[in-house]
């Protein structure tokens, strides 16, 4: 588990193509690697990756084809900057919100407006996760725990202060930048809970007569 509080910035220094998968090497001069062991998890731009090799200032991780397809890793190249956070320990200060490192979708920066004290970022989320994004709720963007300041359909707005811009890769964002999004896990559980006993029923595929009757499209 993570908190969405970025510990350091890293750079992708190597991408080894292994057929459908890739082996990723991330280097960082500021991430404390002294307590990292093989098998530990490090959130890399919000994606939970398992450390398969490491040194004093780098780690390697294997990224599956499924992860590449569902995250912004499809857009990353050697030299790309990434946000880094080691897995949370029970004794750590909980500064952000509950982050699992499981990306729900890839959004796109749709507008950037500069103000005197902050920068306003608008991000367009995939339609299927828009329902989980709420005004004043939490969302993870490239591993950063952020508060949603406004919602307009599938787009949401963030107010980002200079400190966050300096300590994360958000300072490099441009209109069109692809970003990893993870919605608040509580919203996911709430949706499931609201199904009640129906949660145990197999998922329905397509529309049948029973569905139409249940949703008021057929007269009794």
């Amino acid at each position: 588990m993570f908190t969405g509080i970025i510990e350091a910035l890293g750079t992708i220094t190597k991408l080894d193509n292994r057929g459908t998968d890739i082996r990723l090497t991330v280097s960082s001069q500021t991430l404390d690697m002294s307590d990292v062991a093989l098998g530990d998890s490090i959130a890399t731009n919000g994606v939970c990756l398992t450390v398969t090799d490491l040194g004093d200032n780098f780690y390697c991780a294997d990224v599956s084809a499924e992860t590449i397809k569902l995250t912004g890793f499809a857009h990353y190249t050697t030299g790309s900057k990434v946000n880094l956070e080691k897995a949370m320990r029970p004794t750590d200060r909980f500064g952000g919100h509950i982050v699992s490192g499981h990306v729900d979708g890839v959004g796109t920066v749709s507008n950037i407006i500069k103000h005197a004290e902050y920068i306003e970022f608008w991000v367009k989320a995939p339609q299927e996760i828009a329902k989980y994004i709420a005004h004043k709720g939490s969302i993870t963007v490239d591993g950063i725990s952020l508060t949603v300041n406004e919602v307009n359909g599938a787009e949401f707005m963030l107010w980002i202060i200079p400190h966050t811009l300096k300590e994360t890769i958000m300072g490099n964002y441009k209109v069109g930048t692809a970003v990893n999004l993870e919605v608040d896990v509580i919203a996911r559980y709430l949706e499931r809970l609201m199904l009640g006993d129906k949660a145990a029923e197999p998922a329905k595929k397509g529309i049948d007569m029973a569905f139409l009757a249940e949703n008021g499209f057929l007269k009794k």
Side-chain angles (χ1 to χ4, degrees), residues 159-184:
W159 288 343
I160 306 301
I161 61 174
H163 176 79
T164 303
L165 292 174
K166 179 182 176 182
E167 299 298 326
T168 71
I169 66 169
M170 291 195 78
N172 298 327
Y173 284 178
K174 300 176 182 178
V175 172
T177 296
V179 293
N180 293 323
L181 301 178
E182 181 185 335
V183 299
D184 192 343

PDB file of all heavy atoms in Angstrom, residues 159-184:
ATOM      1  N   TRP A 159      -5.764  22.059  -8.332  1.00  0.00           N
ATOM      2  CA  TRP A 159      -4.949  23.230  -8.039  1.00  0.00           C
ATOM      3  C   TRP A 159      -3.616  22.736  -7.506  1.00  0.00           C
ATOM      4  O   TRP A 159      -3.557  22.075  -6.465  1.00  0.00           O
ATOM      5  CB  TRP A 159      -5.627  24.109  -6.992  1.00  0.00           C
ATOM      6  CG  TRP A 159      -6.825  24.854  -7.507  1.00  0.00           C
ATOM      7  CD1 TRP A 159      -7.167  25.090  -8.797  1.00  0.00           C
ATOM      8  CD2 TRP A 159      -7.854  25.454  -6.706  1.00  0.00           C
ATOM      9  NE1 TRP A 159      -8.327  25.811  -8.878  1.00  0.00           N
ATOM     10  CE2 TRP A 159      -8.782  26.046  -7.610  1.00  0.00           C
ATOM     11  CE3 TRP A 159      -8.096  25.564  -5.339  1.00  0.00           C
ATOM     12  CZ2 TRP A 159      -9.908  26.727  -7.177  1.00  0.00           C
ATOM     13  CZ3 TRP A 159      -9.214  26.236  -4.907  1.00  0.00           C
ATOM     14  CH2 TRP A 159     -10.114  26.815  -5.812  1.00  0.00           C
ATOM     15  N   ILE A 160      -2.546  23.045  -8.190  1.00  0.00           N
ATOM     16  CA  ILE A 160      -1.225  22.533  -7.831  1.00  0.00           C
ATOM     17  C   ILE A 160      -0.309  23.679  -7.402  1.00  0.00           C
ATOM     18  O   ILE A 160      -0.093  24.623  -8.153  1.00  0.00           O
ATOM     19  CB  ILE A 160      -0.598  21.766  -9.010  1.00  0.00           C
ATOM     20  CG1 ILE A 160      -1.554  20.675  -9.501  1.00  0.00           C
ATOM     21  CG2 ILE A 160       0.743  21.176  -8.598  1.00  0.00           C
ATOM     22  CD1 ILE A 160      -1.940  19.651  -8.458  1.00  0.00           C
ATOM     23  N   ILE A 161       0.226  23.557  -6.191  1.00  0.00           N
ATOM     24  CA  ILE A 161       1.098  24.596  -5.647  1.00  0.00           C
ATOM     25  C   ILE A 161       2.534  24.396  -6.139  1.00  0.00           C
ATOM     26  O   ILE A 161       2.895  23.313  -6.593  1.00  0.00           O
ATOM     27  CB  ILE A 161       1.056  24.604  -4.104  1.00  0.00           C
ATOM     28  CG1 ILE A 161       1.542  23.255  -3.549  1.00  0.00           C
ATOM     29  CG2 ILE A 161      -0.346  24.919  -3.606  1.00  0.00           C
ATOM     30  CD1 ILE A 161       1.657  23.231  -2.023  1.00  0.00           C
ATOM     31  N   PRO A 162       3.378  25.437  -6.066  1.00  0.00           N
ATOM     32  CA  PRO A 162       4.750  25.340  -6.571  1.00  0.00           C
ATOM     33  C   PRO A 162       5.555  24.188  -5.960  1.00  0.00           C
ATOM     34  O   PRO A 162       6.368  23.573  -6.654  1.00  0.00           O
ATOM     35  CB  PRO A 162       5.350  26.701  -6.191  1.00  0.00           C
ATOM     36  CG  PRO A 162       4.180  27.631  -6.197  1.00  0.00           C
ATOM     37  CD  PRO A 162       3.032  26.816  -5.663  1.00  0.00           C
ATOM     38  N   HIS A 163       5.343  23.880  -4.678  1.00  0.00           N
ATOM     39  CA  HIS A 163       6.096  22.794  -4.031  1.00  0.00           C
ATOM     40  C   HIS A 163       5.837  21.463  -4.738  1.00  0.00           C
ATOM     41  O   HIS A 163       6.775  20.695  -5.003  1.00  0.00           O
ATOM     42  CB  HIS A 163       5.714  22.689  -2.555  1.00  0.00           C
ATOM     43  CG  HIS A 163       6.386  21.538  -1.853  1.00  0.00           C
ATOM     44  ND1 HIS A 163       7.691  21.590  -1.430  1.00  0.00           N
ATOM     45  CD2 HIS A 163       5.918  20.289  -1.529  1.00  0.00           C
ATOM     46  CE1 HIS A 163       8.016  20.437  -0.869  1.00  0.00           C
ATOM     47  NE2 HIS A 163       6.956  19.630  -0.915  1.00  0.00           N
ATOM     48  N   THR A 164       4.572  21.186  -5.059  1.00  0.00           N
ATOM     49  CA  THR A 164       4.233  19.931  -5.741  1.00  0.00           C
ATOM     50  C   THR A 164       4.842  19.895  -7.133  1.00  0.00           C
ATOM     51  O   THR A 164       5.332  18.852  -7.586  1.00  0.00           O
ATOM     52  CB  THR A 164       2.701  19.769  -5.819  1.00  0.00           C
ATOM     53  OG1 THR A 164       2.153  19.814  -4.500  1.00  0.00           O
ATOM     54  CG2 THR A 164       2.319  18.453  -6.470  1.00  0.00           C
ATOM     55  N   LEU A 165       4.836  21.026  -7.823  1.00  0.00           N
ATOM     56  CA  LEU A 165       5.436  21.096  -9.150  1.00  0.00           C
ATOM     57  C   LEU A 165       6.934  20.787  -9.101  1.00  0.00           C
ATOM     58  O   LEU A 165       7.483  20.134  -9.984  1.00  0.00           O
ATOM     59  CB  LEU A 165       5.223  22.486  -9.761  1.00  0.00           C
ATOM     60  CG  LEU A 165       3.791  22.870 -10.129  1.00  0.00           C
ATOM     61  CD1 LEU A 165       3.752  24.323 -10.566  1.00  0.00           C
ATOM     62  CD2 LEU A 165       3.259  21.974 -11.237  1.00  0.00           C
ATOM     63  N   LYS A 166       7.585  21.253  -8.030  1.00  0.00           N
ATOM     64  CA  LYS A 166       9.026  21.066  -7.897  1.00  0.00           C
ATOM     65  C   LYS A 166       9.390  19.635  -7.526  1.00  0.00           C
ATOM     66  O   LYS A 166      10.400  19.093  -7.997  1.00  0.00           O
ATOM     67  CB  LYS A 166       9.560  22.035  -6.828  1.00  0.00           C
ATOM     68  CG  LYS A 166      11.055  21.917  -6.573  1.00  0.00           C
ATOM     69  CD  LYS A 166      11.486  22.870  -5.461  1.00  0.00           C
ATOM     70  CE  LYS A 166      12.962  22.688  -5.132  1.00  0.00           C
ATOM     71  NZ  LYS A 166      13.378  23.574  -4.005  1.00  0.00           N
ATOM     72  N   GLU A 167       8.572  18.996  -6.679  1.00  0.00           N
ATOM     73  CA  GLU A 167       8.907  17.692  -6.122  1.00  0.00           C
ATOM     74  C   GLU A 167       8.363  16.520  -6.936  1.00  0.00           C
ATOM     75  O   GLU A 167       8.629  15.356  -6.598  1.00  0.00           O
ATOM     76  CB  GLU A 167       8.386  17.597  -4.687  1.00  0.00           C
ATOM     77  CG  GLU A 167       8.980  18.621  -3.727  1.00  0.00           C
ATOM     78  CD  GLU A 167      10.481  18.472  -3.555  1.00  0.00           C
ATOM     79  OE1 GLU A 167      10.965  17.321  -3.598  1.00  0.00           O
ATOM     80  OE2 GLU A 167      11.181  19.499  -3.402  1.00  0.00           O
ATOM     81  N   THR A 168       7.600  16.789  -7.986  1.00  0.00           N
ATOM     82  CA  THR A 168       7.021  15.730  -8.815  1.00  0.00           C
ATOM     83  C   THR A 168       7.255  16.047 -10.288  1.00  0.00           C
ATOM     84  O   THR A 168       7.811  17.101 -10.620  1.00  0.00           O
ATOM     85  CB  THR A 168       5.500  15.588  -8.564  1.00  0.00           C
ATOM     86  OG1 THR A 168       4.824  16.726  -9.121  1.00  0.00           O
ATOM     87  CG2 THR A 168       5.186  15.509  -7.070  1.00  0.00           C
ATOM     88  N   ILE A 169       6.762  15.173 -11.147  1.00  0.00           N
ATOM     89  CA  ILE A 169       6.922  15.410 -12.583  1.00  0.00           C
ATOM     90  C   ILE A 169       5.844  16.316 -13.148  1.00  0.00           C
ATOM     91  O   ILE A 169       5.838  16.591 -14.357  1.00  0.00           O
ATOM     92  CB  ILE A 169       6.949  14.081 -13.376  1.00  0.00           C
ATOM     93  CG1 ILE A 169       5.596  13.367 -13.291  1.00  0.00           C
ATOM     94  CG2 ILE A 169       8.090  13.191 -12.911  1.00  0.00           C
ATOM     95  CD1 ILE A 169       5.484  12.201 -14.255  1.00  0.00           C
ATOM     96  N   MET A 170       4.937  16.821 -12.309  1.00  0.00           N
ATOM     97  CA  MET A 170       3.852  17.660 -12.810  1.00  0.00           C
ATOM     98  C   MET A 170       4.360  18.937 -13.475  1.00  0.00           C
ATOM     99  O   MET A 170       3.696  19.516 -14.332  1.00  0.00           O
ATOM    100  CB  MET A 170       2.863  18.004 -11.694  1.00  0.00           C
ATOM    101  CG  MET A 170       2.057  16.816 -11.218  1.00  0.00           C
ATOM    102  SD  MET A 170       0.614  17.266 -10.227  1.00  0.00           S
ATOM    103  CE  MET A 170      -0.530  17.792 -11.517  1.00  0.00           C
ATOM    104  N   GLY A 171       5.546  19.380 -13.065  1.00  0.00           N
ATOM    105  CA  GLY A 171       6.129  20.562 -13.681  1.00  0.00           C
ATOM    106  C   GLY A 171       6.450  20.364 -15.153  1.00  0.00           C
ATOM    107  O   GLY A 171       6.652  21.335 -15.885  1.00  0.00           O
ATOM    108  N   ASN A 172       6.488  19.094 -15.592  1.00  0.00           N
ATOM    109  CA  ASN A 172       6.785  18.782 -16.997  1.00  0.00           C
ATOM    110  C   ASN A 172       5.526  18.546 -17.821  1.00  0.00           C
ATOM    111  O   ASN A 172       5.615  18.299 -19.029  1.00  0.00           O
ATOM    112  CB  ASN A 172       7.668  17.533 -17.090  1.00  0.00           C
ATOM    113  CG  ASN A 172       9.011  17.713 -16.412  1.00  0.00           C
ATOM    114  OD1 ASN A 172       9.561  18.805 -16.411  1.00  0.00           O
ATOM    115  ND2 ASN A 172       9.531  16.656 -15.826  1.00  0.00           N
ATOM    116  N   TYR A 173       4.359  18.584 -17.166  1.00  0.00           N
ATOM    117  CA  TYR A 173       3.124  18.304 -17.902  1.00  0.00           C
ATOM    118  C   TYR A 173       2.853  19.363 -18.968  1.00  0.00           C
ATOM    119  O   TYR A 173       3.075  20.554 -18.768  1.00  0.00           O
ATOM    120  CB  TYR A 173       1.929  18.271 -16.944  1.00  0.00           C
ATOM    121  CG  TYR A 173       1.813  17.030 -16.102  1.00  0.00           C
ATOM    122  CD1 TYR A 173       0.790  16.909 -15.158  1.00  0.00           C
ATOM    123  CD2 TYR A 173       2.700  15.970 -16.216  1.00  0.00           C
ATOM    124  CE1 TYR A 173       0.659  15.780 -14.363  1.00  0.00           C
ATOM    125  CE2 TYR A 173       2.582  14.844 -15.429  1.00  0.00           C
ATOM    126  CZ  TYR A 173       1.560  14.751 -14.502  1.00  0.00           C
ATOM    127  OH  TYR A 173       1.437  13.633 -13.727  1.00  0.00           O
ATOM    128  N   LYS A 174       2.312  18.890 -20.078  1.00  0.00           N
ATOM    129  CA  LYS A 174       1.832  19.752 -21.149  1.00  0.00           C
ATOM    130  C   LYS A 174       0.437  19.283 -21.545  1.00  0.00           C
ATOM    131  O   LYS A 174       0.017  18.182 -21.180  1.00  0.00           O
ATOM    132  CB  LYS A 174       2.773  19.677 -22.363  1.00  0.00           C
ATOM    133  CG  LYS A 174       4.204  20.100 -22.071  1.00  0.00           C
ATOM    134  CD  LYS A 174       5.087  19.904 -23.301  1.00  0.00           C
ATOM    135  CE  LYS A 174       6.530  20.295 -22.993  1.00  0.00           C
ATOM    136  NZ  LYS A 174       7.428  20.066 -24.156  1.00  0.00           N
ATOM    137  N   VAL A 175      -0.289  20.113 -22.261  1.00  0.00           N
ATOM    138  CA  VAL A 175      -1.582  19.682 -22.781  1.00  0.00           C
ATOM    139  C   VAL A 175      -1.344  18.472 -23.684  1.00  0.00           C
ATOM    140  O   VAL A 175      -0.492  18.505 -24.574  1.00  0.00           O
ATOM    141  CB  VAL A 175      -2.283  20.807 -23.562  1.00  0.00           C
ATOM    142  CG1 VAL A 175      -3.536  20.280 -24.256  1.00  0.00           C
ATOM    143  CG2 VAL A 175      -2.645  21.947 -22.619  1.00  0.00           C
ATOM    144  N   GLY A 176      -2.055  17.385 -23.399  1.00  0.00           N
ATOM    145  CA  GLY A 176      -1.880  16.154 -24.155  1.00  0.00           C
ATOM    146  C   GLY A 176      -1.077  15.096 -23.431  1.00  0.00           C
ATOM    147  O   GLY A 176      -1.039  13.940 -23.869  1.00  0.00           O
ATOM    148  N   THR A 177      -0.430  15.449 -22.316  1.00  0.00           N
ATOM    149  CA  THR A 177       0.337  14.471 -21.552  1.00  0.00           C
ATOM    150  C   THR A 177      -0.587  13.382 -21.003  1.00  0.00           C
ATOM    151  O   THR A 177      -1.635  13.675 -20.424  1.00  0.00           O
ATOM    152  CB  THR A 177       1.078  15.145 -20.375  1.00  0.00           C
ATOM    153  OG1 THR A 177       2.035  16.075 -20.889  1.00  0.00           O
ATOM    154  CG2 THR A 177       1.807  14.119 -19.523  1.00  0.00           C
ATOM    155  N   ALA A 178      -0.197  12.122 -21.175  1.00  0.00           N
ATOM    156  CA  ALA A 178      -0.958  10.993 -20.647  1.00  0.00           C
ATOM    157  C   ALA A 178      -0.549  10.749 -19.195  1.00  0.00           C
ATOM    158  O   ALA A 178       0.651  10.754 -18.870  1.00  0.00           O
ATOM    159  CB  ALA A 178      -0.712   9.747 -21.482  1.00  0.00           C
ATOM    160  N   VAL A 179      -1.535  10.544 -18.306  1.00  0.00           N
ATOM    161  CA  VAL A 179      -1.259  10.365 -16.875  1.00  0.00           C
ATOM    162  C   VAL A 179      -1.995   9.144 -16.344  1.00  0.00           C
ATOM    163  O   VAL A 179      -3.117   8.836 -16.757  1.00  0.00           O
ATOM    164  CB  VAL A 179      -1.657  11.619 -16.060  1.00  0.00           C
ATOM    165  CG1 VAL A 179      -0.767  12.790 -16.416  1.00  0.00           C
ATOM    166  CG2 VAL A 179      -3.119  11.987 -16.278  1.00  0.00           C
ATOM    167  N   ASN A 180      -1.345   8.427 -15.420  1.00  0.00           N
ATOM    168  CA  ASN A 180      -1.963   7.288 -14.772  1.00  0.00           C
ATOM    169  C   ASN A 180      -2.936   7.765 -13.703  1.00  0.00           C
ATOM    170  O   ASN A 180      -2.593   8.619 -12.885  1.00  0.00           O
ATOM    171  CB  ASN A 180      -0.898   6.402 -14.112  1.00  0.00           C
ATOM    172  CG  ASN A 180      -0.003   5.720 -15.128  1.00  0.00           C
ATOM    173  OD1 ASN A 180      -0.451   5.313 -16.188  1.00  0.00           O
ATOM    174  ND2 ASN A 180       1.274   5.597 -14.810  1.00  0.00           N
ATOM    175  N   LEU A 181      -4.148   7.207 -13.698  1.00  0.00           N
ATOM    176  CA  LEU A 181      -5.161   7.593 -12.719  1.00  0.00           C
ATOM    177  C   LEU A 181      -5.574   6.392 -11.874  1.00  0.00           C
ATOM    178  O   LEU A 181      -5.810   5.305 -12.406  1.00  0.00           O
ATOM    179  CB  LEU A 181      -6.403   8.150 -13.426  1.00  0.00           C
ATOM    180  CG  LEU A 181      -6.204   9.374 -14.325  1.00  0.00           C
ATOM    181  CD1 LEU A 181      -7.528   9.747 -14.986  1.00  0.00           C
ATOM    182  CD2 LEU A 181      -5.647  10.551 -13.542  1.00  0.00           C
ATOM    183  N   GLU A 182      -5.641   6.604 -10.578  1.00  0.00           N
ATOM    184  CA  GLU A 182      -6.206   5.612  -9.661  1.00  0.00           C
ATOM    185  C   GLU A 182      -7.254   6.306  -8.806  1.00  0.00           C
ATOM    186  O   GLU A 182      -6.943   7.272  -8.103  1.00  0.00           O
ATOM    187  CB  GLU A 182      -5.138   4.980  -8.761  1.00  0.00           C
ATOM    188  CG  GLU A 182      -5.728   3.934  -7.815  1.00  0.00           C
ATOM    189  CD  GLU A 182      -4.720   3.365  -6.830  1.00  0.00           C
ATOM    190  OE1 GLU A 182      -3.511   3.383  -7.136  1.00  0.00           O
ATOM    191  OE2 GLU A 182      -5.144   2.917  -5.753  1.00  0.00           O
ATOM    192  N   VAL A 183      -8.493   5.841  -8.877  1.00  0.00           N
ATOM    193  CA  VAL A 183      -9.563   6.467  -8.110  1.00  0.00           C
ATOM    194  C   VAL A 183      -9.501   6.007  -6.660  1.00  0.00           C
ATOM    195  O   VAL A 183      -8.818   5.034  -6.325  1.00  0.00           O
ATOM    196  CB  VAL A 183     -10.947   6.144  -8.714  1.00  0.00           C
ATOM    197  CG1 VAL A 183     -11.039   6.672 -10.135  1.00  0.00           C
ATOM    198  CG2 VAL A 183     -11.230   4.640  -8.684  1.00  0.00           C
ATOM    199  N   ASP A 184     -10.219   6.711  -5.799  1.00  0.00           N
ATOM    200  CA  ASP A 184     -10.256   6.380  -4.383  1.00  0.00           C
ATOM    201  C   ASP A 184     -10.848   4.986  -4.203  1.00  0.00           C
ATOM    202  O   ASP A 184     -11.954   4.697  -4.673  1.00  0.00           O
ATOM    203  CB  ASP A 184     -11.103   7.420  -3.636  1.00  0.00           C
ATOM    204  CG  ASP A 184     -10.954   7.324  -2.132  1.00  0.00           C
ATOM    205  OD1 ASP A 184     -10.469   6.288  -1.641  1.00  0.00           O
ATOM    206  OD2 ASP A 184     -11.337   8.285  -1.443  1.00  0.00           O
TER     207      ASP A 184
END
